[in-house]
Structures are given as C-alpha cells and as structure tokens.
Amino acid sequence: MMVFSGSCSIELSQKIAKHLDCDISPIEISVFPDKERRIKLKENVLEKDTIIIQSTGQSPDENYMELFLIIDALKRSGAKSVKALIPYLGYQRQDHIFRDGEAVSSEVIAEILEKVGMNELFSFDFHTPKILEMFSVPVHHLSALPVFSQKIKKDFDTNEIVLVSPDMGGIRRIKQISAMLGNIPFAAIIKNRDLNTGNINNSGLDGSVRGKIAIMVDDMISTGTTMVEACDLLLENGALKVYAFSTHAILAKDASDILQKSKIEKVIVSDTLEIPKEKEFAKLEILSVAEIAAKALS
Ligand code: R5P
C-alpha cells in the first residue's frame, strides 16, 4: 500500500502514515505562473494499492483540482486501486436544489471523483447522510464524534451537561453523541438562514439548557456565526457556560477573531483541516482523527 498526500493535508497525512507504519510517497506538484498545477508521481505505482489524502479547506477549487490530477496520475501510471481520504469533502452543503436555477455541487464533485478513477472514498462527518447516495463506489463515512465523546467524558461531569445542536439539521449527530455518552439530554436551536443573504436568525430552542453546561456539536465552523449566535441564545436561556465542538474547522474570513471574542469558553475541533498558524486563537483546541482514519484505511 502506498500513501500520497495532497498539499492541503500534509500534517494529517504524516500522522496517518505513522499509524500505518509507512512513509508518504513523494509527488512533484508544480504551480505555473497562471496557477495551473502539474502533477508528477516520483515512485512507481504499477499494480499497487494506493491512498491519496487531500482535504479541500479554504481553497476548495485549487485543492479539488490538485486531487483530481493526482488520482488521474495514479490511474494512468497503473495503480491497482485508488482510495481517496478526503477528510473534509468540500461543496457538500449544496446537496440539492434549494432555489430554482441552482447547481447540485456535491453531485458534480462525486461524478468527477469517480470519472477520474477514485475506487473508494473515506471522509469525515458529512453535512447530511444524503452525500452517501451520490457515489456509486463504496463510501466509508467516518466520524470525529468518538474523539469528541472521549474528550467530553474526560473534561466534564456528564450529569452537568446538555448537548446542543446549533440547528435542527444536526439533531441526528447530537443523538449519536448522546448515545455514546450514555444517553445524556440534548436540545436543538431553531435556526433559520436567509438563502439570499446567508444571514442567520435563531427563532428558538427545542429543549432546556437551564442550569447546565451547554456543549454544542456541529459538523463545520465556517464563518463562526452559527456558533457565536447559538452561544448567546443558550446563555439567554439559562446555560451556565457554553463550549463548541466541530469536526471541520474551515475558519473562513474573521471566524477566529469572532470566536475568540465570543462568550464561548472553548472551541474544540478536529484536524480534518489544517489550521494555518495565523488562524489559531487562544480558545482553540485541536484533536486528531488520524488514528480513526488509519484504522479505516488499513
Ligand atoms: C449548517 O447547516 C452547518 O451545519 C454549519 O452550522 C454551518 O455551515 C456553519 O457555518 P457558519 O460558521 O458560517 O455559521
């Protein structure tokens, strides 16, 4: 088995390779002045089972293009199989037509990945289980929730906490982590997003957080607005303190700044996305999913 890394997931790939007890096979990735990329594998992959690890992060177009070209290079060079670990699968939020005239981005991504030659997909915490239906190759849907539940068990008294989904769409995820923690209580925020402006309006809370430490769990933090506004609502509803857990830390725009200045005690994320030094902030803690990924890939 040979493991390759795209340029968006170098640190996570190294951790996974360590768990798998192998090295990362080198790829020459050159970027032309007009930003086009050229890929050249530096080792023979003929008849080899291969794994490519590449998240999509804050530059989804560039990272996807690089991934498509690496898969193509592996296939053209005779690899027996190509497994893609895309820790954060970008473009998945557009999983259906919300307004007339829109594209279904997640389906387009699935089609291209299969067309270029991906044989199996591994990824973490999809926005909705609907993503599984978009692929005809096997999909291994992994989750950071076991890592989060261990952290919660270690740091909190489960009698003092309530889990919270910052929107109704995340209720399935909250039920899963509640079960991992012995069926502890949960609540959900009724969040409405204006599809034209992207603005959020939290119209209420389903469940009670009064007198409890509220632990929000979500799939992704992009601008941070969802978490910050949810935190304010939870405090208004009597939560003692609020913590935020999220698998994918996209941290777009000034998310780091608004999260640091918010009333959230701590923001705990996984390493499905590499966080640049300038995006780190004091309240941020990063937990690794490398072991989960390595187990699934081996
Ligand atoms: C939305 O349904 C997702 O689960 C996240 O809550 C959302 O994408 C987070 O976005 P932002 O951080 O920009 O509010």
PDB file of all heavy atoms in Angstrom, residues 125-153:
ATOM      1  N   ASP A 125     -17.606  13.040   8.852  1.00  0.00           N
ATOM      2  CA  ASP A 125     -18.797  13.817   9.210  1.00  0.00           C
ATOM      3  C   ASP A 125     -19.387  14.641   8.068  1.00  0.00           C
ATOM      4  O   ASP A 125     -19.187  15.854   7.973  1.00  0.00           O
ATOM      5  CB  ASP A 125     -18.499  14.694  10.439  1.00  0.00           C
ATOM      6  CG  ASP A 125     -18.331  13.827  11.683  1.00  0.00           C
ATOM      7  OD1 ASP A 125     -19.110  12.874  11.856  1.00  0.00           O
ATOM      8  OD2 ASP A 125     -17.413  14.091  12.476  1.00  0.00           O
ATOM      9  N   PHE A 126     -20.147  13.954   7.249  1.00  0.00           N
ATOM     10  CA  PHE A 126     -20.855  14.633   6.160  1.00  0.00           C
ATOM     11  C   PHE A 126     -21.907  15.580   6.739  1.00  0.00           C
ATOM     12  O   PHE A 126     -22.460  15.339   7.819  1.00  0.00           O
ATOM     13  CB  PHE A 126     -21.575  13.613   5.271  1.00  0.00           C
ATOM     14  CG  PHE A 126     -20.654  12.779   4.424  1.00  0.00           C
ATOM     15  CD1 PHE A 126     -20.921  11.441   4.206  1.00  0.00           C
ATOM     16  CD2 PHE A 126     -19.536  13.350   3.824  1.00  0.00           C
ATOM     17  CE1 PHE A 126     -20.093  10.676   3.406  1.00  0.00           C
ATOM     18  CE2 PHE A 126     -18.691  12.584   3.022  1.00  0.00           C
ATOM     19  CZ  PHE A 126     -18.971  11.240   2.825  1.00  0.00           C
ATOM     20  N   HIS A 127     -22.190  16.594   5.965  1.00  0.00           N
ATOM     21  CA  HIS A 127     -23.221  17.549   6.367  1.00  0.00           C
ATOM     22  C   HIS A 127     -24.579  16.854   6.479  1.00  0.00           C
ATOM     23  O   HIS A 127     -25.341  17.117   7.415  1.00  0.00           O
ATOM     24  CB  HIS A 127     -23.254  18.673   5.332  1.00  0.00           C
ATOM     25  CG  HIS A 127     -24.175  19.761   5.678  1.00  0.00           C
ATOM     26  ND1 HIS A 127     -24.089  20.463   6.859  1.00  0.00           N
ATOM     27  CD2 HIS A 127     -25.228  20.276   5.008  1.00  0.00           C
ATOM     28  CE1 HIS A 127     -25.049  21.355   6.889  1.00  0.00           C
ATOM     29  NE2 HIS A 127     -25.752  21.264   5.793  1.00  0.00           N
ATOM     30  N   THR A 128     -24.865  15.972   5.513  1.00  0.00           N
ATOM     31  CA  THR A 128     -26.071  15.140   5.613  1.00  0.00           C
ATOM     32  C   THR A 128     -25.726  13.743   5.085  1.00  0.00           C
ATOM     33  O   THR A 128     -24.856  13.612   4.215  1.00  0.00           O
ATOM     34  CB  THR A 128     -27.252  15.647   4.741  1.00  0.00           C
ATOM     35  OG1 THR A 128     -26.918  15.436   3.362  1.00  0.00           O
ATOM     36  CG2 THR A 128     -27.574  17.083   4.969  1.00  0.00           C
ATOM     37  N   PRO A 129     -26.457  12.706   5.560  1.00  0.00           N
ATOM     38  CA  PRO A 129     -26.193  11.350   5.056  1.00  0.00           C
ATOM     39  C   PRO A 129     -26.511  11.216   3.567  1.00  0.00           C
ATOM     40  O   PRO A 129     -26.111  10.262   2.931  1.00  0.00           O
ATOM     41  CB  PRO A 129     -27.132  10.472   5.892  1.00  0.00           C
ATOM     42  CG  PRO A 129     -27.693  11.333   6.957  1.00  0.00           C
ATOM     43  CD  PRO A 129     -27.512  12.752   6.561  1.00  0.00           C
ATOM     44  N   LYS A 130     -27.201  12.207   3.022  1.00  0.00           N
ATOM     45  CA  LYS A 130     -27.562  12.196   1.604  1.00  0.00           C
ATOM     46  C   LYS A 130     -26.320  12.103   0.702  1.00  0.00           C
ATOM     47  O   LYS A 130     -26.384  11.583  -0.414  1.00  0.00           O
ATOM     48  CB  LYS A 130     -28.314  13.502   1.307  1.00  0.00           C
ATOM     49  CG  LYS A 130     -29.131  13.465   0.084  1.00  0.00           C
ATOM     50  CD  LYS A 130     -30.143  14.583   0.069  1.00  0.00           C
ATOM     51  CE  LYS A 130     -30.910  14.489  -1.234  1.00  0.00           C
ATOM     52  NZ  LYS A 130     -30.664  15.555  -2.135  1.00  0.00           N
ATOM     53  N   ILE A 131     -25.198  12.590   1.190  1.00  0.00           N
ATOM     54  CA  ILE A 131     -23.955  12.571   0.404  1.00  0.00           C
ATOM     55  C   ILE A 131     -23.607  11.124   0.025  1.00  0.00           C
ATOM     56  O   ILE A 131     -23.090  10.867  -1.058  1.00  0.00           O
ATOM     57  CB  ILE A 131     -22.794  13.214   1.209  1.00  0.00           C
ATOM     58  CG1 ILE A 131     -23.143  14.659   1.600  1.00  0.00           C
ATOM     59  CG2 ILE A 131     -21.468  13.178   0.437  1.00  0.00           C
ATOM     60  CD1 ILE A 131     -23.388  15.600   0.453  1.00  0.00           C
ATOM     61  N   LEU A 132     -23.912  10.188   0.929  1.00  0.00           N
ATOM     62  CA  LEU A 132     -23.605   8.772   0.671  1.00  0.00           C
ATOM     63  C   LEU A 132     -24.273   8.281  -0.615  1.00  0.00           C
ATOM     64  O   LEU A 132     -23.739   7.437  -1.323  1.00  0.00           O
ATOM     65  CB  LEU A 132     -24.084   7.909   1.843  1.00  0.00           C
ATOM     66  CG  LEU A 132     -23.298   8.070   3.147  1.00  0.00           C
ATOM     67  CD1 LEU A 132     -24.136   7.622   4.325  1.00  0.00           C
ATOM     68  CD2 LEU A 132     -22.020   7.276   3.083  1.00  0.00           C
ATOM     69  N   GLU A 133     -25.444   8.822  -0.892  1.00  0.00           N
ATOM     70  CA  GLU A 133     -26.209   8.367  -2.069  1.00  0.00           C
ATOM     71  C   GLU A 133     -25.637   8.883  -3.377  1.00  0.00           C
ATOM     72  O   GLU A 133     -26.017   8.440  -4.449  1.00  0.00           O
ATOM     73  CB  GLU A 133     -27.658   8.876  -1.980  1.00  0.00           C
ATOM     74  CG  GLU A 133     -28.418   8.317  -0.822  1.00  0.00           C
ATOM     75  CD  GLU A 133     -29.708   9.106  -0.577  1.00  0.00           C
ATOM     76  OE1 GLU A 133     -30.180   9.819  -1.493  1.00  0.00           O
ATOM     77  OE2 GLU A 133     -30.221   9.017   0.548  1.00  0.00           O
ATOM     78  N   MET A 134     -24.726   9.836  -3.302  1.00  0.00           N
ATOM     79  CA  MET A 134     -24.251  10.476  -4.540  1.00  0.00           C
ATOM     80  C   MET A 134     -23.148   9.681  -5.222  1.00  0.00           C
ATOM     81  O   MET A 134     -22.771   9.989  -6.344  1.00  0.00           O
ATOM     82  CB  MET A 134     -23.751  11.871  -4.223  1.00  0.00           C
ATOM     83  CG  MET A 134     -24.830  12.656  -3.541  1.00  0.00           C
ATOM     84  SD  MET A 134     -24.732  14.365  -3.845  1.00  0.00           S
ATOM     85  CE  MET A 134     -26.342  14.880  -3.299  1.00  0.00           C
ATOM     86  N   PHE A 135     -22.603   8.712  -4.505  1.00  0.00           N
ATOM     87  CA  PHE A 135     -21.475   7.948  -5.054  1.00  0.00           C
ATOM     88  C   PHE A 135     -21.928   6.536  -5.401  1.00  0.00           C
ATOM     89  O   PHE A 135     -22.753   5.950  -4.690  1.00  0.00           O
ATOM     90  CB  PHE A 135     -20.356   7.866  -4.005  1.00  0.00           C
ATOM     91  CG  PHE A 135     -19.691   9.192  -3.746  1.00  0.00           C
ATOM     92  CD1 PHE A 135     -20.199  10.065  -2.791  1.00  0.00           C
ATOM     93  CD2 PHE A 135     -18.563   9.577  -4.461  1.00  0.00           C
ATOM     94  CE1 PHE A 135     -19.607  11.299  -2.553  1.00  0.00           C
ATOM     95  CE2 PHE A 135     -17.962  10.802  -4.233  1.00  0.00           C
ATOM     96  CZ  PHE A 135     -18.477  11.664  -3.275  1.00  0.00           C
ATOM     97  N   SER A 136     -21.325   5.982  -6.469  1.00  0.00           N
ATOM     98  CA  SER A 136     -21.620   4.565  -6.738  1.00  0.00           C
ATOM     99  C   SER A 136     -20.471   3.680  -6.249  1.00  0.00           C
ATOM    100  O   SER A 136     -20.628   2.471  -6.144  1.00  0.00           O
ATOM    101  CB  SER A 136     -21.939   4.327  -8.201  1.00  0.00           C
ATOM    102  OG  SER A 136     -20.963   4.923  -9.002  1.00  0.00           O
ATOM    103  N   VAL A 137     -19.306   4.275  -5.938  1.00  0.00           N
ATOM    104  CA  VAL A 137     -18.208   3.487  -5.353  1.00  0.00           C
ATOM    105  C   VAL A 137     -18.452   3.407  -3.835  1.00  0.00           C
ATOM    106  O   VAL A 137     -19.224   4.206  -3.283  1.00  0.00           O
ATOM    107  CB  VAL A 137     -16.824   4.151  -5.627  1.00  0.00           C
ATOM    108  CG1 VAL A 137     -16.544   4.233  -7.114  1.00  0.00           C
ATOM    109  CG2 VAL A 137     -16.718   5.518  -4.966  1.00  0.00           C
ATOM    110  N   PRO A 138     -17.795   2.468  -3.123  1.00  0.00           N
ATOM    111  CA  PRO A 138     -18.006   2.400  -1.666  1.00  0.00           C
ATOM    112  C   PRO A 138     -17.558   3.689  -0.958  1.00  0.00           C
ATOM    113  O   PRO A 138     -16.529   4.264  -1.306  1.00  0.00           O
ATOM    114  CB  PRO A 138     -17.114   1.220  -1.237  1.00  0.00           C
ATOM    115  CG  PRO A 138     -16.892   0.423  -2.481  1.00  0.00           C
ATOM    116  CD  PRO A 138     -16.934   1.392  -3.622  1.00  0.00           C
ATOM    117  N   VAL A 139     -18.365   4.104   0.003  1.00  0.00           N
ATOM    118  CA  VAL A 139     -18.038   5.303   0.796  1.00  0.00           C
ATOM    119  C   VAL A 139     -17.947   4.902   2.263  1.00  0.00           C
ATOM    120  O   VAL A 139     -18.856   4.268   2.798  1.00  0.00           O
ATOM    121  CB  VAL A 139     -19.134   6.390   0.628  1.00  0.00           C
ATOM    122  CG1 VAL A 139     -18.781   7.627   1.466  1.00  0.00           C
ATOM    123  CG2 VAL A 139     -19.311   6.772  -0.829  1.00  0.00           C
ATOM    124  N   HIS A 140     -16.841   5.267   2.904  1.00  0.00           N
ATOM    125  CA  HIS A 140     -16.653   4.981   4.328  1.00  0.00           C
ATOM    126  C   HIS A 140     -16.864   6.296   5.071  1.00  0.00           C
ATOM    127  O   HIS A 140     -16.011   7.189   5.004  1.00  0.00           O
ATOM    128  CB  HIS A 140     -15.244   4.436   4.581  1.00  0.00           C
ATOM    129  CG  HIS A 140     -14.941   3.231   3.739  1.00  0.00           C
ATOM    130  ND1 HIS A 140     -15.027   1.946   4.216  1.00  0.00           N
ATOM    131  CD2 HIS A 140     -14.581   3.122   2.426  1.00  0.00           C
ATOM    132  CE1 HIS A 140     -14.726   1.092   3.247  1.00  0.00           C
ATOM    133  NE2 HIS A 140     -14.461   1.786   2.160  1.00  0.00           N
ATOM    134  N   HIS A 141     -18.008   6.397   5.724  1.00  0.00           N
ATOM    135  CA  HIS A 141     -18.341   7.652   6.403  1.00  0.00           C
ATOM    136  C   HIS A 141     -17.804   7.604   7.837  1.00  0.00           C
ATOM    137  O   HIS A 141     -18.388   6.971   8.711  1.00  0.00           O
ATOM    138  CB  HIS A 141     -19.860   7.856   6.379  1.00  0.00           C
ATOM    139  CG  HIS A 141     -20.280   9.177   6.913  1.00  0.00           C
ATOM    140  ND1 HIS A 141     -21.560   9.441   7.342  1.00  0.00           N
ATOM    141  CD2 HIS A 141     -19.588  10.326   7.101  1.00  0.00           C
ATOM    142  CE1 HIS A 141     -21.625  10.691   7.765  1.00  0.00           C
ATOM    143  NE2 HIS A 141     -20.445  11.241   7.630  1.00  0.00           N
ATOM    144  N   LEU A 142     -16.680   8.277   8.067  1.00  0.00           N
ATOM    145  CA  LEU A 142     -16.027   8.254   9.384  1.00  0.00           C
ATOM    146  C   LEU A 142     -16.514   9.447  10.200  1.00  0.00           C
ATOM    147  O   LEU A 142     -17.136  10.368   9.660  1.00  0.00           O
ATOM    148  CB  LEU A 142     -14.506   8.316   9.205  1.00  0.00           C
ATOM    149  CG  LEU A 142     -13.920   7.330   8.177  1.00  0.00           C
ATOM    150  CD1 LEU A 142     -12.418   7.536   8.029  1.00  0.00           C
ATOM    151  CD2 LEU A 142     -14.223   5.894   8.576  1.00  0.00           C
ATOM    152  N   SER A 143     -16.212   9.407  11.499  1.00  0.00           N
ATOM    153  CA  SER A 143     -16.711  10.491  12.353  1.00  0.00           C
ATOM    154  C   SER A 143     -15.705  10.866  13.435  1.00  0.00           C
ATOM    155  O   SER A 143     -14.996  10.009  13.973  1.00  0.00           O
ATOM    156  CB  SER A 143     -18.022  10.055  13.011  1.00  0.00           C
ATOM    157  OG  SER A 143     -18.473  11.086  13.854  1.00  0.00           O
ATOM    158  N   ALA A 144     -15.685  12.140  13.749  1.00  0.00           N
ATOM    159  CA  ALA A 144     -14.847  12.632  14.861  1.00  0.00           C
ATOM    160  C   ALA A 144     -15.589  12.492  16.191  1.00  0.00           C
ATOM    161  O   ALA A 144     -15.011  12.770  17.248  1.00  0.00           O
ATOM    162  CB  ALA A 144     -14.483  14.097  14.614  1.00  0.00           C
ATOM    163  N   LEU A 145     -16.854  12.061  16.145  1.00  0.00           N
ATOM    164  CA  LEU A 145     -17.639  12.019  17.386  1.00  0.00           C
ATOM    165  C   LEU A 145     -17.007  11.132  18.477  1.00  0.00           C
ATOM    166  O   LEU A 145     -17.055  11.508  19.655  1.00  0.00           O
ATOM    167  CB  LEU A 145     -19.082  11.590  17.112  1.00  0.00           C
ATOM    168  CG  LEU A 145     -19.940  12.569  16.289  1.00  0.00           C
ATOM    169  CD1 LEU A 145     -21.367  12.057  16.193  1.00  0.00           C
ATOM    170  CD2 LEU A 145     -19.935  13.982  16.858  1.00  0.00           C
ATOM    171  N   PRO A 146     -16.407   9.970  18.144  1.00  0.00           N
ATOM    172  CA  PRO A 146     -15.784   9.189  19.220  1.00  0.00           C
ATOM    173  C   PRO A 146     -14.661   9.965  19.936  1.00  0.00           C
ATOM    174  O   PRO A 146     -14.508   9.860  21.158  1.00  0.00           O
ATOM    175  CB  PRO A 146     -15.211   7.960  18.489  1.00  0.00           C
ATOM    176  CG  PRO A 146     -16.049   7.832  17.257  1.00  0.00           C
ATOM    177  CD  PRO A 146     -16.402   9.240  16.865  1.00  0.00           C
ATOM    178  N   VAL A 147     -13.915  10.764  19.176  1.00  0.00           N
ATOM    179  CA  VAL A 147     -12.833  11.574  19.773  1.00  0.00           C
ATOM    180  C   VAL A 147     -13.459  12.653  20.664  1.00  0.00           C
ATOM    181  O   VAL A 147     -12.996  12.917  21.787  1.00  0.00           O
ATOM    182  CB  VAL A 147     -11.977  12.220  18.642  1.00  0.00           C
ATOM    183  CG1 VAL A 147     -10.944  13.169  19.220  1.00  0.00           C
ATOM    184  CG2 VAL A 147     -11.315  11.150  17.797  1.00  0.00           C
ATOM    185  N   PHE A 148     -14.536  13.260  20.182  1.00  0.00           N
ATOM    186  CA  PHE A 148     -15.203  14.304  20.968  1.00  0.00           C
ATOM    187  C   PHE A 148     -15.834  13.718  22.240  1.00  0.00           C
ATOM    188  O   PHE A 148     -15.779  14.322  23.310  1.00  0.00           O
ATOM    189  CB  PHE A 148     -16.288  15.005  20.132  1.00  0.00           C
ATOM    190  CG  PHE A 148     -15.749  15.860  19.006  1.00  0.00           C
ATOM    191  CD1 PHE A 148     -16.580  16.307  17.986  1.00  0.00           C
ATOM    192  CD2 PHE A 148     -14.411  16.232  18.965  1.00  0.00           C
ATOM    193  CE1 PHE A 148     -16.094  17.102  16.958  1.00  0.00           C
ATOM    194  CE2 PHE A 148     -13.914  17.025  17.935  1.00  0.00           C
ATOM    195  CZ  PHE A 148     -14.763  17.457  16.926  1.00  0.00           C
ATOM    196  N   SER A 149     -16.442  12.541  22.122  1.00  0.00           N
ATOM    197  CA  SER A 149     -17.108  11.988  23.313  1.00  0.00           C
ATOM    198  C   SER A 149     -16.073  11.609  24.383  1.00  0.00           C
ATOM    199  O   SER A 149     -16.299  11.817  25.574  1.00  0.00           O
ATOM    200  CB  SER A 149     -18.040  10.827  22.960  1.00  0.00           C
ATOM    201  OG  SER A 149     -17.311   9.706  22.607  1.00  0.00           O
ATOM    202  N   GLN A 150     -14.908  11.122  23.937  1.00  0.00           N
ATOM    203  CA  GLN A 150     -13.842  10.824  24.920  1.00  0.00           C
ATOM    204  C   GLN A 150     -13.412  12.095  25.646  1.00  0.00           C
ATOM    205  O   GLN A 150     -13.192  12.112  26.848  1.00  0.00           O
ATOM    206  CB  GLN A 150     -12.625  10.253  24.206  1.00  0.00           C
ATOM    207  CG  GLN A 150     -12.679   8.746  24.050  1.00  0.00           C
ATOM    208  CD  GLN A 150     -11.542   8.240  23.166  1.00  0.00           C
ATOM    209  OE1 GLN A 150     -10.521   8.887  23.001  1.00  0.00           O
ATOM    210  NE2 GLN A 150     -11.741   7.083  22.572  1.00  0.00           N
ATOM    211  N   LYS A 151     -13.263  13.164  24.880  1.00  0.00           N
ATOM    212  CA  LYS A 151     -12.842  14.454  25.451  1.00  0.00           C
ATOM    213  C   LYS A 151     -13.901  14.956  26.460  1.00  0.00           C
ATOM    214  O   LYS A 151     -13.571  15.431  27.545  1.00  0.00           O
ATOM    215  CB  LYS A 151     -12.667  15.450  24.298  1.00  0.00           C
ATOM    216  CG  LYS A 151     -12.457  16.880  24.692  1.00  0.00           C
ATOM    217  CD  LYS A 151     -11.043  17.133  25.110  1.00  0.00           C
ATOM    218  CE  LYS A 151     -10.826  18.592  25.486  1.00  0.00           C
ATOM    219  NZ  LYS A 151      -9.603  18.764  26.272  1.00  0.00           N
ATOM    220  N   ILE A 152     -15.169  14.817  26.079  1.00  0.00           N
ATOM    221  CA  ILE A 152     -16.249  15.282  26.971  1.00  0.00           C
ATOM    222  C   ILE A 152     -16.253  14.462  28.259  1.00  0.00           C
ATOM    223  O   ILE A 152     -16.359  15.012  29.360  1.00  0.00           O
ATOM    224  CB  ILE A 152     -17.623  15.225  26.235  1.00  0.00           C
ATOM    225  CG1 ILE A 152     -17.636  16.249  25.085  1.00  0.00           C
ATOM    226  CG2 ILE A 152     -18.778  15.476  27.194  1.00  0.00           C
ATOM    227  CD1 ILE A 152     -18.809  16.129  24.117  1.00  0.00           C
ATOM    228  N   LYS A 153     -16.078  13.133  28.110  1.00  0.00           N
ATOM    229  CA  LYS A 153     -16.054  12.260  29.308  1.00  0.00           C
ATOM    230  C   LYS A 153     -14.921  12.661  30.243  1.00  0.00           C
ATOM    231  O   LYS A 153     -15.060  12.635  31.459  1.00  0.00           O
ATOM    232  CB  LYS A 153     -15.825  10.808  28.874  1.00  0.00           C
ATOM    233  CG  LYS A 153     -17.097  10.025  28.657  1.00  0.00           C
ATOM    234  CD  LYS A 153     -16.780   8.556  28.379  1.00  0.00           C
ATOM    235  CE  LYS A 153     -17.890   7.929  27.573  1.00  0.00           C
ATOM    236  NZ  LYS A 153     -17.465   6.858  26.706  1.00  0.00           N
TER     237      LYS A 153
END
